[in-house]
Amino acid sequence: MRNSRPEAGLRSGNPKYGAGVCDFCGEPRPLLWRCRRCGFSVCQVCLSQDQKRFSCNAITWVCPNCLNWETL
Ligand SMILES: [Zn+2]
Ligand SMILES: [Zn+2]
C-alpha cells in the first residue's frame, strides 16, 4: 500500500510536515515540521522562537530528539 506520489497528502506515508500536536509546546497546530527518523514534531512557532536549539536557518532544522537533520 505504498503511495509513490510525492504529493500524496499530509496524512499518508511519512511526510516531513503536516497537521498535528507539537511535541515541543503541546499545542495542536495546522502545520508542523516532522522528523522522518523518529517522528518528533515541532510547530513553526517553536521553530522560530528557538532557532538556536533547532539550528534552524530557514533551510534545515535539527531534531532535538535524535539529532537528525531535516530540510524545511
Ligand atoms: Zn510548538
Ligand atoms: Zn528525530
Side-chain angles (χ1 to χ4, degrees):
M1 287 281 286
R2 293 200 66 186
N3 196 331
S4 58
R5 290 190 319 174
E7 291 150 352
L10 301 179
R11 275 175 293 183
S12 63
N14 194 11
K16 66 181 180 181
Y17 61 89
V21 177
C22 175
D23 283 329
F24 213 68
C25 64
E27 295 285 332
R29 301 288 187 190
L31 174 64
L32 20 82
W33 301 100
R34 184 171 295 127
C35 172
R36 281 173 292 181
R37 183 191 282 179
C38 73
F40 182 90
S41 300
V42 60
C43 68
Q44 290 189 305
V45 177
C46 290
L47 208 58
S48 60
Q49 283 180 351
D50 224 338
Q51 292 189 3
K52 284 186 193 127
R53 185 190 297 267
F54 294 107
S55 301
C56 178
N57 59 11
I59 300 170
T60 57
W61 65 282
V62 176
C63 172
N65 194 41
C66 70
L67 304 181
N68 175 44
W69 285 88
E70 281 287 347
T71 53
L72 291 176

